[in-house]
Amino acid sequence: MVLAGWIVVLLLGFGAAGYGLGTDFLDYRSYRVPGVAMSPTVKPGDSAVVRVRHGEVVHRGDLVVFDRGAFAHADSAGSSALRVVAVGGDVVACCTDGRLVVDGEPITETYLSQDAYAHDPHATTPYLTRLHEGTVFVLGDERGRARDSRVLGVVPLSAVTGFVVGTGSVLHPSPLARTNAFTDAGLPGTPYADETLTGVRWWVLGGAALSAAGLTGLIVAAVRSAGRRRTAAAGPPAR
């Protein structure tokens, strides 16, 4: 019975670790940020943790990864990460008192870069766009240097492949905080919140610990059982 108990612990450990690793493999990707467009939220060269999109609704404020070749006026291919500031049906414009305006509501974007490029004329180039359903308008947080929807046009939702939910690695993530900039302005739709990322590490580590405990207990129990069998086989000592 002792051996059976340790086997159960071992199998539970394998199951927990397998669940964590499976979730990691199926739902998360690592993305190396190549440029400055999303500074300071995600800096050039940072490793971003991306949750694969499985049809989830994309809201204003989401930091998304998409196929750059899907821009209406694409100038390059490959993956890119930018922030969604407007969705289908919205009217987005720049600028009122230097602020982005969505459906007539000025947005206080506390996540924007405040370096020297924040005052570059490109950061406040005027535009006015009404979005069709099934499209999003994406901008960089480093507004003075980003090439985004202001120049390249909208992105179809079908091209959005994931949500940036943290930096670092899946097992050692630093989750990104959600922005309230758009909901504070009275616009509906809360940005995507990942509820799994921080738990994956504990599934893997907890599963590994259970597996190690189960294997150790199994070996010890097997050795003790073998010792008892040898003792029994030897019979009582001679008189």
Side-chain angles (χ1 to χ4, degrees), residues 120-143:
D120 189 283
H122 180 59
T124 53
T125 300
Y127 57 84
L128 175 65
T129 302
R130 180 183 294 276
L131 276 72
H132 296 298
E133 292 298 330
T135 62
V136 291
F137 197 91
V138 292
L139 298 178
D141 288 357
E142 177 67 283
R143 205 75 33 103

Side-chain angles (χ1 to χ4, degrees), residues 205-217:
L205 295 179
L210 271 179
S211 298
L215 182 59
T216 301

Side-chain angles (χ1 to χ4, degrees), residues 33-46 63 81-83 110-115 117-118 139-146:
V33 179
V36 300
M38 282 308 301
S39 293
T41 306
V42 186
K43 299 179 177 61
D46 278 357
L63 180 51
L82 292 171
R83 190 180 299 278
T110 56
Y111 46 75
L112 291 182
S113 170
Q114 297 301 317
D115 65 12
Y117 291 94
L139 298 178
D141 288 357
E142 177 67 283
R143 205 75 33 103
R145 289 193 282 179

Side-chain angles (χ1 to χ4, degrees), residues 57-179:
V57 176
V58 175
H59 292 295
R60 307 171 195 87
D62 282 332
L63 180 51
V64 298
V65 172
F66 61 96
D67 177 6
R68 194 172 183 86
F71 269 123
H73 308 293
D75 62 353
S76 61
S79 295
S80 188
L82 292 171
R83 190 180 299 278
V84 174
V85 300
V87 297
D90 286 349
V91 176
V92 58
C94 183
C95 295
T96 297
D97 296 327
R99 290 192 290 173
L100 175 77
V101 178
V102 180
D103 280 354
E105 300 294 341
I107 310 299
T108 301
E109 299 180 278
T110 56
Y111 46 75
L112 291 182
S113 170
Q114 297 301 317
D115 65 12
Y117 291 94
H119 306 290
D120 189 283
H122 180 59
T124 53
T125 300
Y127 57 84
L128 175 65
T129 302
R130 180 183 294 276
L131 276 72
H132 296 298
E133 292 298 330
T135 62
V136 291
F137 197 91
V138 292
L139 298 178
D141 288 357
E142 177 67 283
R143 205 75 33 103
R145 289 193 282 179
R147 285 185 61 79
D148 46 34
S149 286
R150 295 169 297 174
V151 177
L152 304 176
V154 299
V155 174
L157 273 175
S158 59
V160 176
T161 58
F163 302 89
V164 178
V165 295
T167 57
S169 68
V170 174
L171 294 182
H172 295 284
S174 296
L176 291 182
R178 289 188 298 175
T179 177

Side-chain angles (χ1 to χ4, degrees), residues 185-209:
L187 298 171
T190 303
Y192 180 78
D194 183 80
E195 305 295 343
T196 309
L197 178 61
T198 54
V200 169
R201 172 175 56 182
W202 299 115
W203 277 102
V204 174
L205 295 179

